[in-house]
Amino acid sequence: MVNSINFLLLFSLLVFAPFCHCKKKVGGYLYPQFYDDSCPKVEEIVKSIVAKAVTKEPRMAASLLRLHFHDCFVKGCDASVLLDSSGTIISEKRSNPNRNSARGFEVIDEIKSALEKECPHTVSCADILTLAARDSTVLTGGPSWGVPLGRRDSLGASISGSNNNIPAPNNTFQTILTKFKLKGLNIVDLVALSGSHTIGDSRCTSFRQRLYNQTGNGKSDFTLDQNYAAQLRTQCPRSGGDQNLFVLDFVTPVKFDNYYFQNLLANKGLLSSDEILLTKNQVSAALVKKYAESNDLFFEQFAKSMVRLGNITPLTGSRGEIRKHCRKINT
């Protein structure tokens, strides 16, 4: 009898250990309390520096959110996007999705420097990126969520992964959905996370084809409101002006809300990858309408999908390392 009780006790410990919210550092699991003992001020420090950066330049919130997304979609959420080229490493910053557009690296550097002073060699750059993305959302009026922590940093980068895995503005709906599914995300995550385009800017080069030659016939995209298209053409010419910036949400460009989805319903989504959520798939179109109707519903799902995004193949336990400087691996 005693042996069977011991067996049941052992069995329950093995089965339920992954769901434990205790502070013990269990290798392989992310949980919000990971730094409670080793660096209790981590969230406070990250938030204060992000707040300072966003106050100085509101656009930075979208840039930090995008940096986390572009990190996770390559090799998982491992801070590979932060590495500069050196030795055998070719930086992901040179890839098509990041070149001349990925930004916010200096803010991450400042956070890392502050955390190295507070608790040396403890907090990973990958966790900093994840926390900065959450804080950027909250600071612009979006939802908050508990961020599971305990990621470690990669020992390398993948420029090919950055070029191939990150959804592009001119990808087809099916290509984008496939890229999400390969990362363990679904169509609900795709639509909700696209809602991050409620803040931030895009370059002329990312949507020019919609204005002049969407289907190869020399005409603009018929799914784009023509008055809106005419307005965009004034600052995004057929050639030149590649880096000219345009707000993704022209109604509330620096406020995190559901106007992005309302704009889609009015055929005023800036990128092709935005508009196809409404025009190419019935399930995604229904979700666009739901989120356009309810800001609360969008916020609730966005928070859930951001946690799922942050859980893409993290390095945990003894894999990877805790970088001293986010731009280079430890020597």
Side-chain angles (χ1 to χ4, degrees), residues 167-181 186-188 190-191 194 272-288:
N170 59 349
N171 281 163
T172 65
F173 179 85
Q174 198 52 52
T175 297
I176 294 172
L177 182 58
T178 299
K179 287 179 177 182
F180 268 72
K181 284 183 173 175
N186 59 33
I187 196 165
V188 178
L190 164 56
V191 179
S194 294
S272 175
S273 56
D274 295 325
E275 202 64 55
I276 57 177
L277 298 179
L278 182 67
T279 58
K280 296 297 183 184
N281 182 280
Q282 289 183 332
V283 176
S284 66
L287 288 165
V288 167

Side-chain angles (χ1 to χ4, degrees), residues 19 207 243:
F19 305 100
F207 61 88
Q243 306 302 319

Side-chain angles (χ1 to χ4, degrees), residues 157-169:
S158 174
I159 191 167
S160 62
S162 189
N163 277 322
N164 298 323
N165 299 358
I166 297 170

Side-chain angles (χ1 to χ4, degrees), residues 83-91 94 327-329:
L83 289 170
D84 288 338
S85 294
S86 66
T88 57
I89 294 170
I90 301 172
S91 177
R94 295 183 182 183
R327 293 172 183 260
K328 59 186 182 182
I329 59 172

Side-chain angles (χ1 to χ4, degrees), residues 151-225:
R151 296 165 195 79
R152 286 165 66 85
D153 300 324
S154 71
L155 298 168
S158 174
I159 191 167
S160 62
S162 189
N163 277 322
N164 298 323
N165 299 358
I166 297 170
N170 59 349
N171 281 163
T172 65
F173 179 85
Q174 198 52 52
T175 297
I176 294 172
L177 182 58
T178 299
K179 287 179 177 182
F180 268 72
K181 284 183 173 175
L182 286 170
K183 296 298 172 188
L185 303 176
N186 59 33
I187 196 165
V188 178
D189 300 314
L190 164 56
V191 179
L193 293 173
S194 294
S196 62
H197 285 177
T198 179
I199 54 174
D201 300 338
S202 183
R203 298 173 297 156
C204 167
T205 185
S206 297
F207 61 88
R208 176 184 280 121
Q209 87 284 351
R210 294 193 78 199
L211 304 179
Y212 300 103
N213 192 24
Q214 178 68 359
T215 55
N217 63 359
K219 293 183 179 177
S220 65
D221 187 344
F222 71 92
T223 67
L224 186 62
D225 178 271

Side-chain angles (χ1 to χ4, degrees), residues 9-256:
L9 182 61
L10 178 62
F11 179 76
S12 66
L13 284 171
L14 288 170
V15 171
F16 296 112
F19 305 100
C20 171
H21 291 289
C22 48
K23 292 183 182 181
K24 188 183 175 190
K25 291 180 173 55
V26 184
Y29 303 105
L30 304 179
Y31 50 101
Q33 303 85 2
F34 188 85
Y35 296 110
D36 278 10
D37 295 328
S38 60
C39 194
K41 288 186 179 175
V42 58
E43 298 205 27
E44 182 188 323
I45 289 168
V46 174
K47 186 176 181 181
S48 68
I49 294 172
V50 172
K52 185 178 70 172
V54 171
T55 300
K56 185 178 171 186
E57 185 194 6
R59 181 186 167 208
M60 188 53 71
S63 298
L64 291 170
L65 192 51
R66 184 172 183 256
L67 211 51
H68 175 51
F69 186 91
H70 281 212
D71 179 43
C72 294
F73 257 70
V74 179
K75 303 193 299 109
C77 307
D78 61 1
S80 63
V81 73
L82 301 177
L83 289 170
D84 288 338
S85 294
S86 66
T88 57
I89 294 170
I90 301 172
S91 177
E92 291 168 21
K93 296 172 186 179
R94 295 183 182 183
S95 70
N96 292 329
N98 293 329
R99 194 171 57 244
N100 299 324
S101 68
R103 55 200 299 279
F105 300 107
E106 295 79 10
V107 179
I108 302 299
D109 290 341
E110 187 180 343
I111 294 168
K112 181 61 175 170
S113 177
L115 287 171
E116 282 299 311
K117 284 186 187 127
E118 176 70 23
C119 35
H121 204 66
T122 302
V123 181
S124 69
C125 300
D127 277 345
I128 291 170
L129 276 175
T130 316
L131 286 167
R134 189 273 310 273
D135 293 340
S136 294
T137 304
V138 174
L139 287 160
T140 47
S144 186
W145 59 91
V147 177
L149 299 165
R151 296 165 195 79
R152 286 165 66 85
D153 300 324
S154 71
L155 298 168
S158 174
I159 191 167
S160 62
S162 189
N163 277 322
N164 298 323
N165 299 358
I166 297 170
N170 59 349
N171 281 163
T172 65
F173 179 85
Q174 198 52 52
T175 297
I176 294 172
L177 182 58
T178 299
K179 287 179 177 182
F180 268 72
K181 284 183 173 175
L182 286 170
K183 296 298 172 188
L185 303 176
N186 59 33
I187 196 165
V188 178
D189 300 314
L190 164 56
V191 179
L193 293 173
S194 294
S196 62
H197 285 177
T198 179
I199 54 174
D201 300 338
S202 183
R203 298 173 297 156
C204 167
T205 185
S206 297
F207 61 88
R208 176 184 280 121
Q209 87 284 351
R210 294 193 78 199
L211 304 179
Y212 300 103
N213 192 24
Q214 178 68 359
T215 55
N217 63 359
K219 293 183 179 177
S220 65
D221 187 344
F222 71 92
T223 67
L224 186 62
D225 178 271
Q226 292 308 297
N227 289 329
Y228 182 46
Q231 191 184 333
L232 294 171
R233 277 192 287 266
T234 63
Q235 299 297 318
C236 184
R238 279 181 188 274
S239 62
D242 284 7
Q243 306 302 319
N244 290 354
L245 292 173
F246 296 77
V247 292
L248 286 157
D249 169 7
F250 66 92
V251 182
T252 55
V254 294
K255 186 171 189 297
F256 200 101

